[in-house]
């Protein structure tokens, strides 16, 4: 297993921070959800014998903010600058939530480079769901106040969709990741609700794998199950919900090896 190393890469939209590990076989690009960062993939990277890379999307982690109104394609272009810097010719790509959309965009935009696409959940939203998401993330979760009490809003949000006993150290890490986003929480979510994921899936030339944990997007993922491109492999994971790479690292590493063979 390769040691995880970090780098800063210039892209057309600002600098991006990325984690990478070396290895043998076809490289694997890992795209995180919002408001997370590439840090979420470290357990998988530590268990992989192939080259892996997990960039922090523009506006997240330690990457630059990027444009005021990025699209999913904007994110994909910036990520591909990181891929080019790594010298990868062909690769597999795995994304989760926002990263699912970006993975599909890269598979469409660079069809000669992408061997296989895997997504964790299928974020396709109807009009009401899109409006709710846009409203929920239109502003930061809480504005800073002198006594620091706003931090409780970020902390309490980590308890939603998660059942005790809590891994408090992990929840603290998630809170810090959201705080790093600052007042730009709405930017990626606006890109998400404006991107026609269902239509784009029909345009994807690469084989598709869907991992379906029963997380906060399971309703949308189930809705899409019978609408996915022909030949899609759908892996139902009813015993998993949130934080699958943190809570089920060995099983997810095994599933990735099975469905995205090196």
């Amino acid at each position: 297993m390769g040691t995880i190393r970090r780098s800063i890469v210039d892209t057309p939209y600002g600098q991006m921070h990325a984690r990478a590990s070396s290895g043998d076989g076809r490289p694997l690009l890992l795209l995180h959800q919002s408001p997370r960062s590439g840090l979420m993939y470290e357990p998988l990277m530590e268990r992989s014998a192939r080259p892996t890379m997990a960039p922090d999307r523009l506006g997240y982690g330690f990457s630059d903010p990027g444009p005021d109104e990025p699209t999913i394609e904007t994110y994909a272009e910036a990520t591909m600058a990181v891929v080019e810097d790594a010298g990868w010719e062909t690769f597999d790509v795995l994304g989760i939530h926002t990263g699912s959309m970006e993975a599909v965009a890269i598979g469409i935009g660079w069809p000669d480079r992408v061997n296989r696409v895997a997504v964790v959940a299928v974020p396709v939203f109807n009009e009401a769901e899109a409006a709710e998401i846009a409203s929920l993330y239109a502003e930061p979760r809480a504005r800073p106040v002198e006594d620091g009490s706003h931090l409780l809003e970020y902390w309490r949000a980590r308890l939603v969709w998660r059942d005790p006993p809590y891994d408090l150290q992990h929840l603290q890490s998630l809170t810090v990741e959201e705080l790093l986003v600052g007042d730009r929480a709405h930017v990626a979510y606006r890109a998400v609700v404006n991107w026609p994921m269902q239509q784009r899936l029909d345009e994807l030339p690469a084989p598709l794998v869907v991992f379906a944990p029963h997380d906060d997007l399971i309703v949308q993922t189930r809705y899409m199950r019978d609408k996915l491109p022909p030949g899609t492999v759908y892996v139902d994971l009813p015993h998993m919900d949130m934080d699958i790479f943190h809570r089920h690292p060995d099983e997810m590493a095994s599933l990735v090896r099975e469905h995205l063979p090196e």
Side-chain angles (χ1 to χ4, degrees):
M1 308 297 176
T3 300
I4 296 174
R5 299 187 180 279
R6 303 183 186 190
S7 62
I8 300 293
V9 180
D10 290 327
T11 82
Y13 305 102
Q15 293 187 319
M16 286 179 64
H17 172 261
R19 294 168 173 81
S21 66
S22 58
D24 297 318
R26 183 180 294 109
L28 176 61
L29 177 64
L30 302 165
L31 304 174
H32 64 83
Q33 66 194 90
S34 305
R36 302 291 304 280
S37 72
L39 176 65
M40 66 174 293
Y41 283 115
E42 283 197 358
L44 178 62
M45 299 170 76
E46 291 166 351
R47 289 163 174 78
S48 179
R50 68 197 298 184
T52 63
M53 181 161 54
D56 294 348
R57 185 172 297 110
L58 291 168
Y60 293 86
F62 298 112
S63 292
D64 283 348
D68 289 338
E69 291 294 335
T71 64
I72 296 298
E73 283 81 9
T74 304
Y75 292 133
E77 290 172 22
T79 295
M80 282 303 296
V82 181
V83 171
E84 298 291 355
D85 183 76
W88 290 1
E89 292 295 329
T90 61
F91 55 93
D92 294 330
V93 56
L94 166 64
I96 177 171
H97 292 209
T98 306
S100 297
M101 289 185 166
E102 190 182 350
V104 171
I106 289 174
I108 295 170
W110 291 265
D112 57 331
R113 308 283 296 279
V114 176
N115 178 68
R116 192 175 294 270
V117 172
V119 299
V120 178
V122 185
V124 170
F125 304 107
N126 61 36
E127 187 173 340
E129 291 167 338
E132 181 181 2
I133 292 168
S135 174
L136 182 63
Y137 294 101
E139 297 287 341
R141 194 174 299 279
R143 295 289 181 182
V145 294
E146 188 174 349
D147 66 0
S149 57
H150 66 289
L151 298 175
L152 283 174
E153 294 298 320
Y154 289 90
W155 179 257
R156 289 168 179 151
R158 304 281 69 81
L159 306 182
V160 177
W161 294 99
R162 295 175 174 90
D163 297 319
Y166 301 114
D167 182 339
L168 298 182
Q169 191 66 38
H170 181 60
L171 297 186
Q172 179 170 266
S173 177
L174 302 186
T175 302
V176 170
E177 284 184 302
E178 184 170 1
L179 288 170
L180 285 173
V181 179
D183 62 356
R184 292 176 56 83
H186 64 285
V187 174
Y189 290 102
R190 192 148 57 209
V192 163
V193 299
N194 288 328
W195 205 66
M197 177 69 158
Q198 186 168 351
Q199 175 186 333
R200 293 293 185 263
L201 282 169
D202 293 334
E203 301 168 6
L204 180 66
L208 178 66
V209 178
V210 174
F211 296 119
H214 290 209
D215 63 5
D216 53 332
L217 289 184
I218 187 57
V219 171
Q220 290 78 11
T221 304
R222 282 173 170 163
Y223 167 79
M224 284 297 299
R225 183 168 188 172
D226 295 331
K227 301 173 177 61
L228 295 167
T232 295
V233 175
Y234 187 97
V235 185
D236 193 29
L237 301 171
H239 60 296
M240 297 187 191
D241 44 45
M242 306 293 284
D243 310 319
I244 62 173
F245 296 102
H246 175 75
R247 296 178 61 193
H248 306 276
D250 292 328
E251 185 174 359
M252 285 309 303
S254 178
L255 286 169
V256 169
R257 284 192 294 269
E258 178 182 356
H259 295 287
L260 297 173
E262 303 170 17

